């Protein structure tokens, strides 16, 4: 979570709000990643307890969502609540199964779905990337 916090807040105009100990990262008042509260649609398959450790990351579109969900490690998932919504879920303990560079790409991709185009374009240029999502 420390890496997530550092990477998210390093992005231009990104903010962090904490509600009941759960962070929400946003830009221009729109979330791009957050630690969601326990919901009935995400339960531990062994205990049937609601999961309290789920992060939500926005993604660019349904195609990107499907590609991420195909990851062989099984760390990314979705639930019926998120059908038709461009986001993937990840349990906090599974952050250990992705490296910092992959987390950075995930966070930056989520941020790009919400940031203003001119800011995205400037940031991408600084990174040596020509195209805006």
């Amino acid at each position: 979570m420390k890496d997530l916090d550092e990477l998210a807040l390093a992005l231009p105009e990104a903010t962090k709000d904490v509600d009941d100990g759960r962070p929400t990262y946003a830009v221009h008042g729109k979330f791009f990643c957050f630690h969601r509260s326990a919901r009935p649609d995400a339960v531990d398959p062994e205990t049937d307890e609601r999961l309290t450790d789920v992060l939500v990351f926005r993604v660019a579109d349904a195609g990107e969502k499907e590609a991420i969900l195909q990851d062989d490690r099984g760390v990314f998932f979705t639930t019926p609540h998120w059908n038709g919504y461009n986001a993937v879920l990840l349990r906090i303990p599974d952050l250990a199964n992705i490296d910092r560079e992959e987390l950075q790409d995930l966070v930056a991709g989520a941020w790009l779905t919400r940031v203003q185009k001119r800011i995205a374009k400037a940031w991408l240029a600084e990174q040596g990337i020509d195209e805006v999502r």
Side-chain angles (χ1 to χ4, degrees):
M1 289 297 290
K2 183 179 176 183
D3 285 345
L4 174 60
D5 199 59
E6 182 182 318
L7 293 169
L9 294 176
L11 295 164
E13 301 192 25
T15 61
K16 176 183 175 183
D17 185 39
V18 178
D19 182 28
D20 197 23
R22 294 182 317 273
T24 296
Y25 302 94
V27 63
H28 313 301
K30 298 176 183 176
F31 87 86
F32 60 90
C33 174
F34 69 96
H35 178 182
R36 77 179 210 164
S37 59
R39 295 187 44 91
D41 66 317
V43 296
D44 185 302
E46 295 178 14
T47 66
D48 284 335
E49 295 290 322
R50 290 182 182 183
L51 298 177
T52 60
D53 59 356
V54 176
L55 297 170
V56 177
F57 293 88
R58 297 244 330 149
V59 296
D61 55 39
E64 182 177 359
K65 178 178 181 172
E66 287 307 312
I68 291 171
L69 293 174
Q70 297 302 312
D71 184 282
D72 290 338
R73 295 169 294 180
V75 296
F76 300 102
F77 67 101
T78 191
T79 66
H81 177 79
W82 295 95
N83 286 348
Y85 194 76
N86 296 331
V88 295
L89 309 177
L90 171 73
R91 294 186 69 186
I92 292 170
D94 286 331
L95 285 169
N97 296 321
I98 63 175
D99 64 29
R100 185 177 168 91
E101 184 176 319
E102 185 178 7
L103 180 60
Q104 182 175 16
D105 289 346
L106 188 64
V107 172
W111 174 81
L112 284 167
T113 68
R114 297 302 217 176
V115 71
Q116 294 172 351
K117 294 269 188 223
R118 67 178 173 76
I119 296 170
K121 185 175 181 178
W123 182 82
L124 288 165
E126 287 175 13
Q127 307 306 309
I129 302 168
D130 292 330
E131 65 185 62
V132 177
R133 290 183 169 192

